[in-house]
């Protein structure tokens, strides 16, 4: 009896809320953009030096975006989706 009731109540309920998924997508986009900015560069010929690998976007901006994205992901996971429901009651 108790097991059936538990299955009925947990059926169709997500762990995260809509707000959590929005923040997760924002964090994921930030991480992807950071890695795209960080990648590439250099030259096809190993004997030729290309100073663009030391540009500020690869050294400062891209790692900052990646770390910011991971921070947003942690916030999205720890965000309580039931907090809004309880405050409206």
């Amino acid at each position: 009896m108790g097991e059936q009731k538990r299955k009925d109540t947990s059926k169709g309920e997500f762990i995260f809320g809509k707000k959590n998924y929005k923040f997760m997508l924002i964090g994921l986009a930030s991480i992807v953009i950071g890695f795209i900015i960080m990648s590439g560069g250099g030259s096809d010929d190993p004997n030729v030096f290309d100073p663009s690998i030391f540009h500020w976007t690869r050294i400062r901006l891209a790692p900052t975006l990646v770390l910011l994205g991971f921070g947003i992901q942690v916030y999205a996971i720890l965000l309580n989706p039931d907090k809004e429901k309880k405050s409206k009651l």
Side-chain angles (χ1 to χ4, degrees), residues 37-69:
I37 292 172
M38 204 182 314
S39 69
S43 68
D44 296 330
D45 186 13
N47 296 325
V48 176
F49 177 72
D50 187 10
S52 69
I53 62 171
F54 297 115
H55 197 261
W56 74 273
T57 56
R58 290 197 180 140
I59 300 294
R60 301 281 183 209
L61 182 65
T64 303
L65 278 175
V66 171
L67 290 175
L68 182 70

Side-chain angles (χ1 to χ4, degrees), residues 16 20 23-28 31 66-80:
F16 297 121
N20 295 81
F23 277 111
M24 282 185 183
L25 288 175
I26 292 169
L28 182 65
I31 293 169
V66 171
L67 290 175
L68 182 70
F70 282 124
I72 292 171
Q73 291 286 354
V74 169
Y75 175 75
I77 291 170
L78 296 177
L79 185 65
N80 188 1

